[in-house]
Amino acid sequence: MNFVEVILPLALPKTFTYLVSEAEYDYIKNGMRVAVPFGKTKIYTGLVLSKHHNPPTLYEAKEIHQILDEKPIVNEIQLQHWQWISSYYMCTLGDVFRGALPSAFLLESETIITYKIDNEVDKNDLSDDEYLIFEALQKQSSLKVQDIILILNKKNIFPVIQKLLNKNVLSLQEEMQDEYKPKLIRYIRLHENYASPENWESLLNIMKANKQKDLLLNYFQIIAQDKKPISVKHLIEKANSSTAIVKALIDKNIFEDYLIQEDRVNFEKNKVKNNLSLSNAQQNAFFEIKAHFNSKEVCLLHGVTSSGKTEIYIKTIEDYLKLGKQVLYLLPEIALTTQLVSRLTLHFGNQVAVFHSKYSNNERVEVWNQVLENSEKAKIVIGARSAVFLPFNNLGLIIVDEEHEQTFKQLDPAPRYHARDVAIVLANLQKAKVLLGSATPSIETFYNTQSGKFGLVTISERFGKAPLPEVQLVDLKDSYFRKQMTGHFSQTLLDSINEALNLNEQIILFQNRRGFSPVLECLTCGHVPQCTSCDVSLTYHKFKNQLRCHYCGYAIAKPTHCHACSSTAISTKGFGTEQIELELASIFPTRNIKRMDQDTTRGKYSFEKLIDSFKNREIDILVGTQMLAKGLDFDNVTLVGILNADTMLYHPDFRAFERSFQMMTQVSGRAGRADKTGKVIIQTYNVNHNIIQQVTNNDYLGMFNEQLYDRKIYHYPPYFRLIKITLKHKDFEKLKEGSFWLYQVLQQNLQMSVLGPEEPAINRIRNEYIRTIMIKIPHNLGLLTTKKTIQKILNSFEAISQYRSIKATTNVDFY
């Protein structure tokens, strides 16, 4: 008898054995998808892990429904990689399988199918089964897989759905439609015959029509003032003219118009491909990286902000492409892919593919297949953390940019992996190299370079010898005392904003909290509206005039009076990006002010819209949360303001100081990236705080040594490994009792410190109470044996009937 071992996309601790015929056994290869029955009625898409002839002992093997692929969509190296993730991060293979594959590959009996309205369908092109589904979707808006099984009266329906998806007739529920075409702005410049100022006088002399002459004079005036590209719209408004006059001048070959779609405003007429020349510092770093790769698998490029790390990456990528290798370029934030894609496509053209969660199912499947086939279109893959799961078969280099970012860590659902660490293991399996890059490396990574595990290359100067921005501290205590505050802005910050605006320069303001204000309080009785399902106050969002919970999404309209004492004296406490945006609008009514946070960037292309506008200098001031701190590159930003540095410093987390240093240094690095000197103003109540002084002096080593000393004393990484077990239940007493039982058993069986069961700062979310237990594992104890012990104890915990309803999740390296 022939059997296959199948991974199901469910959180089950083991794989399942299914029966196949002789012909199927010969045809099936590891890594192919199969549709299999599971339970009484459900059908799932499983993945073949191995083939064998041993029947299962505990149950009778069912037959598979059908084979879904002609060739494997997952390769052997990936399967090994998944098994490592499953064992290291203490999750099931099913979790990894579900997290790794685009959901379009995982058709199952719960998937909801809808009809694509905007699509012309040729009915003659459809088979009988396809037509039946098409007809059913004309009569009702959506169908479940179960409904289609009843309509067609057969169980084997996945190929029919797949064909309809390929013909673009159906869409799956997860897809979001958001059509965005990059905004094409029409700019105008003098024809090349008149480009030099010497020809301007003769040009004015030959002009007869007054209106045309007037328009031309206005053009010269704007050019003298702004020294930046002039849009047709701006010129017409300034000259009080019309498009007809502009068209007449274009027809006479005096002006020519052009469209700007690329990110950066382009002063050269044509960009030359591959005109990349490295500075001496970059060239030295590039050779040092090559030298490290001869002896080490991983190298850290530690360069100050705007030192030109991307150019070094491009040069390194070129080397690997010449060898015919694939390259994976990981970024922490989807926002960054926009800028990077435009920079890399200038060099590598159509060899670049992009993979992240804002892409639709079909787009992700296309990239998956291109990588699998080692296609020319996907030699370089740029992606967020999920791109580490792509089916590379000839990977040569992985670049992890901004490697210190916490967004590389997946929080929920399982697998709770860290993309940087997973990428290093993948590179090891693929015999590839890893280049980590950051201006503020994480303490663990820098510690690995000090202990000789990773190579280290340092660049301590900015590209083009541009100076680092000047950092100025503003003492908020003193400013409030002297009544020198306008809203949340000190006089120093306002003066600097005015100065930058007068020079037509752009400004970034940073406040790491979205919404208008985090607390609405009654001044009479002190009542603060709370979320009904979570133990947290509601955040006030002024634009929607509602109070919203950022944990579960619960929202109510803003109350006109206090719910406890009916008083109308209600005031807001604290401030978020929304409030800053409104204050700025009242101080600078004529300026264009936008904000960039989770609320304004929900759509697929919303990042692009904002970044395009900022690049094209349509926005004067951009207010944002930590999205702004990542490696964005705007050459006209000369001022960065951090409105309150203290909110980050006093976060209850052992990494708060390290994160604050990274965040402030990264935000500061957005200023003065071209030939203009940048300035950073940090508002704080604690000017003499060590971290703030280290940011001011750009003293990474000082911060590193100080934090390392503390970590050693208090048993934190990199000296200890951490595992956090989170327990959740709706019944407070049951959770308390269960968490104590688990804590005691862990403490008795593990010869190391077990802390807890502790209530976190927010101890109830979505009506579930939360307790956490933390285990600190010293490096001299075996990690694998400790994890096995913990897993056994968790299995026993689940076996106790009264604790079975308590949800336990394990998070390895949760920081």
Side-chain angles (χ1 to χ4, degrees):
M1 290 174 88
N2 304 306
F3 298 96
V4 288
E5 211 55 42
V6 173
I7 309 170
L8 290 173
L10 303 167
L12 297 166
K14 57 182 193 299
T15 54
F16 288 82
T17 309
Y18 284 87
L19 185 65
V20 287
S21 67
E22 189 74 45
E24 285 172 331
Y25 185 83
D26 294 337
Y27 183 78
I28 285 178
K29 293 184 180 66
N30 294 353
M32 280 186 175
R33 291 175 307 151
V34 285
V36 293
F38 188 73
K40 284 181 181 171
T41 55
K42 293 214 173 99
I43 297 166
Y44 286 100
T45 302
L47 192 85
V48 176
L49 182 65
S50 62
K51 304 192 290 185
H52 56 81
H53 301 286
N54 315 319
T57 49
L58 297 173
Y59 54 91
E60 194 178 325
K62 292 181 180 177
E63 288 185 21
I64 64 166
H65 258 303
Q66 75 190 94
I67 303 165
L68 295 174
D69 297 309
E70 290 168 17
K71 53 181 191 288
I73 61 158
V74 171
N75 59 40
E76 290 290 346
I77 293 178
Q78 269 180 294
L79 291 172
Q80 287 174 37
H81 191 218
W82 289 7
Q83 281 164 324
W84 179 85
I85 292 171
S86 159
S87 86
Y88 184 84
Y89 289 104
M90 297 176 74
C91 60
T92 65
L93 256 180
D95 284 328
V96 185
F97 171 41
R98 195 179 194 102
L101 258 69
S103 48
F105 279 141
L106 296 174
L107 287 171
E108 56 188 60
S109 40
E110 267 88 43
T111 308
I112 292 174
I113 289 145
T114 53
Y115 170 59
K116 278 198 172 171
I117 299 162
D118 54 351
N119 200 27
E120 288 294 318
V121 179
D122 181 5
K123 294 176 187 173
N124 302 325
D125 197 22
L126 302 177
S127 69
D128 293 350
D129 284 348
E130 288 165 10
Y131 185 74
L132 283 171
I133 297 173
F134 171 72
E135 201 177 36
L137 281 168
Q138 301 299 311
K139 290 174 184 160
Q140 65 186 81
S141 59
S142 65
L143 294 170
K144 283 191 175 170
V145 171
Q146 222 52 47
D147 304 332
I148 294 175
I149 289 173
L150 294 172
I151 292 166
L152 301 182
N153 198 18
K154 58 169 157 183
K155 286 183 177 175
N156 186 358
I157 60 150
F158 289 122
V160 185
I161 296 175
Q162 198 64 56
K163 279 176 190 161
L164 284 170
L165 279 169
N166 296 344
K167 287 175 184 172
N168 219 10
V169 177
L170 307 179
S171 70
L172 302 179
Q173 191 67 65
E174 299 89 4
E175 287 184 23
M176 261 178 63
Q177 296 301 320
D178 181 353
E179 285 302 315
Y180 163 68
K181 291 176 179 60
K183 193 172 180 184
L184 292 174
I185 298 171
R186 203 159 147 243
Y187 284 83
I188 197 161
R189 62 185 163 212
L190 284 170
H191 194 274
E192 55 195 11
N193 303 344
Y194 304 111
S196 66
E198 297 92 72
N199 304 337
W200 291 359
E201 201 171 325
S202 59
L203 173 62
L204 283 167
N205 292 336
I206 59 168
M207 298 284 288
K208 300 283 186 286
N210 280 341
K211 286 187 177 175
Q212 293 181 5
K213 203 170 191 173
D214 216 29
L215 186 78
L216 197 59
L217 285 165
N218 272 290
Y219 175 82
F220 292 149
Q221 201 179 345
I222 298 169
I223 271 286
Q225 278 175 354
D226 284 5
K227 306 248 185 333
K228 68 178 188 184
I230 297 172
S231 67
V232 174
K233 183 181 167 195
H234 180 45
L235 179 60
I236 288 171
E237 279 172 8
K238 183 89 175 154
N240 203 5
S241 186
S242 69
T243 43
I245 294 168
V246 174
K247 187 178 182 303
L249 286 168
I250 291 170
D251 293 344
K252 285 182 181 176
N253 278 345
I254 291 169
F255 277 134
E256 57 183 14
D257 61 346
Y258 62 107
L259 297 169
I260 287 189
Q261 155 186 339
E262 70 247 334
D263 280 0
R264 194 163 291 115
V265 175
N266 215 339
F267 291 99
E268 309 94 19
K269 194 170 171 197
N270 294 313
K271 250 202 157 93
V272 185
K273 262 199 172 184
N274 297 332
N275 58 344
L276 192 66
S277 57
L278 299 184
S279 68
N280 289 339
Q282 287 174 316
Q283 198 71 50
N284 293 340
F286 175 60
F287 290 134
E288 279 181 55
I289 289 166
K290 275 179 138 176
H292 278 302
F293 279 161
N294 292 332
S295 58
K296 291 189 167 71
E297 301 297 310
V298 184
C299 180
L300 168 68
L301 175 58
H302 178 204
V304 294
T305 51
S306 193
S307 55
K309 292 187 282 290
T310 310
E311 283 75 15
I312 298 171
Y313 299 153
I314 289 172
K315 275 287 186 202
T316 315
I317 290 170
E318 278 176 3
D319 283 3
Y320 281 90
L321 290 186
K322 282 173 194 160
L323 299 171
K325 296 284 189 183
Q326 293 169 305
V327 176
L328 171 61
Y329 195 137
L330 288 177
L331 291 164
E333 190 76 73
I334 295 169
L336 288 181
T337 51
T338 318
Q339 277 207 325
L340 193 74
V341 169
S342 58
R343 284 174 82 169
L344 288 192
T345 43
L346 278 172
H347 283 273
F348 303 110
N350 208 18
Q351 293 178 294
V352 181
V354 182
F355 187 86
H356 58 62
S357 57
K358 289 238 169 136
Y359 271 39
S360 72
N361 273 322
N362 292 345
E363 288 168 313
R364 275 186 277 174
V365 170
E366 271 171 32
V367 175
W368 183 282
N369 290 333
Q370 285 168 357
V371 173
L372 188 65
E373 291 153 15
N374 204 350
S375 148
E376 282 301 314
K377 286 183 183 170
K379 283 290 180 196
I380 304 164
V381 179
I382 303 174
R385 59 174 180 251
S386 55
V388 290
F389 292 118
L390 284 166
F392 296 99
N393 45 35
N394 190 17
L395 190 62
L397 174 71
I398 301 177
I399 294 170
V400 185
D401 198 10
E402 309 293 351
E403 65 80 30
H404 63 276
E405 280 296 343
Q406 64 206 62
T407 38
F408 278 128
K409 172 75 177 168
Q410 161 98 350
L411 295 175
D412 274 311
R416 295 174 180 83
Y417 62 97
H418 194 297
R420 178 195 61 216
D421 302 344
V422 165
I424 291 170
V425 173
L426 176 65
N428 190 13
L429 291 170
Q430 293 263 12
K431 305 283 181 285
K433 302 291 182 190
V434 181
L435 179 55
L436 307 175
S438 175
T440 51
S442 69
I443 283 177
E444 293 77 30
T445 302
F446 203 75
Y447 178 76
N448 281 334
T449 65
Q450 302 299 299
S451 60
K453 194 174 173 186
F454 296 171
L456 172 65
V457 176
T458 308
I459 309 178
S460 50
E461 63 177 54
R462 281 187 151 191
F463 182 71
K465 297 269 194 296
L468 281 165
E470 168 209 344
V471 179
Q472 195 176 341
L473 300 179
V474 174
D475 187 344
L476 285 175
K477 283 199 297 268
D478 188 57
S479 296
Y480 275 113
F481 179 70
R482 293 174 192 275
K483 302 205 166 27
Q484 289 175 344
M485 297 290 290
T486 307
H488 293 95
F489 297 92
S490 61
Q491 199 53 50
T492 316
L493 182 54
L494 284 178
D495 291 346
S496 301
I497 291 175
N498 268 316
E499 196 181 319
L501 290 174
N502 291 338
L503 293 168
N504 284 319
E505 292 163 354
Q506 291 167 294
I507 296 140
I508 285 178
L509 295 177
F510 175 76
Q511 166 59 9
N512 207 8
R513 178 178 271 147
R514 62 193 173 99
F516 182 84
S517 86
V519 173
L520 205 66
E521 184 182 43
C522 169
L523 297 176
T524 312
C525 70
H527 172 74
V528 174
Q530 299 280 326
C531 174
T532 52
S533 310
C534 311
D535 186 19
V536 67
S537 64
L538 297 173
T539 303
Y540 175 41
H541 287 254
K542 189 159 189 166
F543 283 106
K544 291 192 172 172
N545 200 32
Q546 61 175 205
L547 301 179
R548 194 163 357 139
C549 171
H550 286 178
Y551 289 86
C552 68
Y554 168 78
I556 56 169
K558 185 199 171 194
T560 50
H561 58 271
C562 171
H563 291 162
C565 71
S566 300
S567 160
T568 51
I570 294 175
S571 98
T572 59
K573 291 275 163 73
F575 64 103
T577 46
E578 229 176 76
Q579 191 164 342
I580 297 301
E581 187 189 9
L582 287 167
E583 280 182 14
L584 282 169
S586 64
I587 302 169
F588 304 106
T590 58
R591 298 296 182 166
N592 190 5
I593 297 148
K594 287 276 183 285
R595 70 190 156 98
M596 185 179 188
D597 56 27
Q598 215 179 325
D599 298 322
T600 60
T601 53
R602 288 194 190 278
K604 176 173 167 184
Y605 289 110
S606 36
F607 285 123
E608 281 91 328
K609 289 174 188 169
L610 269 170
I611 289 171
D612 273 358
S613 310
F614 200 59
K615 269 287 159 67
N616 293 340
R617 305 187 183 182
E618 292 164 25
I619 298 172
D620 297 307
I621 305 175
L622 188 59
V623 184
T625 56
Q626 88 256 1
M627 285 177 185
L628 292 173
K630 315 297 192 295
L632 293 168
D633 184 14
F634 303 115
D635 49 9
N636 194 38
V637 173
T638 55
L639 176 66
V640 167
I642 297 175
L643 289 156
N644 190 345
D646 306 326
T647 45
M648 300 177 269
L649 284 172
Y650 302 116
H651 198 63
D653 173 19
F654 76 94
R655 299 193 69 157
F657 284 178
E658 180 195 351
R659 293 252 162 89
S660 302
F661 178 87
Q662 288 166 342
M663 189 84 81
M664 284 190 261
T665 306
Q666 290 286 348
V667 175
S668 308
R670 301 312 113 216
R673 293 177 75 91
D675 46 2
K676 301 167 182 171
T677 310
K679 188 175 182 183
V680 180
I681 292 178
I682 300 177
Q683 298 189 156
T684 171
Y685 286 100
N686 199 345
V687 178
N688 297 319
H689 194 289
N690 269 5
I691 290 291
I692 288 176
Q693 287 299 325
Q694 284 155 358
V695 171
T696 311
N697 304 322
N698 199 30
D699 180 13
Y700 176 80
L701 277 173
M703 185 279 296
F704 172 75
N705 291 323
E706 195 178 292
Q707 293 306 308
L708 213 55
Y709 177 75
D710 282 355
R711 303 267 181 105
K712 193 166 189 174
I713 296 172
Y714 298 112
H715 294 186
Y716 279 110
Y719 299 103
F720 280 70
R721 291 272 173 75
L722 300 184
I723 295 180
K724 182 164 79 172
I725 299 170
T726 307
L727 302 162
K728 296 181 181 180
H729 198 273
K730 291 192 173 180
D731 183 338
F732 181 81
E733 288 304 321
K734 182 179 272 193
L735 177 69
K736 189 175 165 185
E737 188 189 320
S739 59
F740 266 106
W741 182 93
L742 185 61
Y743 164 72
Q744 281 164 341
V745 177
L746 283 166
Q747 209 179 25
Q748 285 158 11
N749 288 279
L750 298 172
Q751 270 66 56
M752 59 192 74
S753 54
V754 179
L755 307 178
E758 191 53 60
E759 287 189 20
I762 293 164
N763 67 355
R764 183 173 63 108
I765 294 175
R766 291 194 172 90
N767 268 332
E768 289 182 317
Y769 292 96
I770 305 168
R771 290 281 174 119
T772 55
I773 294 170
M774 187 153 70
I775 302 156
K776 294 182 175 180
I777 308 170
H779 272 294
N780 57 358
L781 287 179
L783 194 61
L784 206 63
T785 49
T786 307
K787 283 179 180 170
K788 278 182 179 164
T789 310
I790 294 169
Q791 196 55 59
K792 273 184 191 165
I793 294 167
L794 285 169
N795 293 345
S796 325
F797 180 70
E798 278 177 26
I800 300 169
S801 57
Q802 75 251 41
Y803 301 148
R804 196 169 291 148
S805 56
I806 297 175
K807 283 185 218 159
T809 54
T810 313
N811 199 343
V812 180
D813 301 343
F814 63 88
Y815 43 87

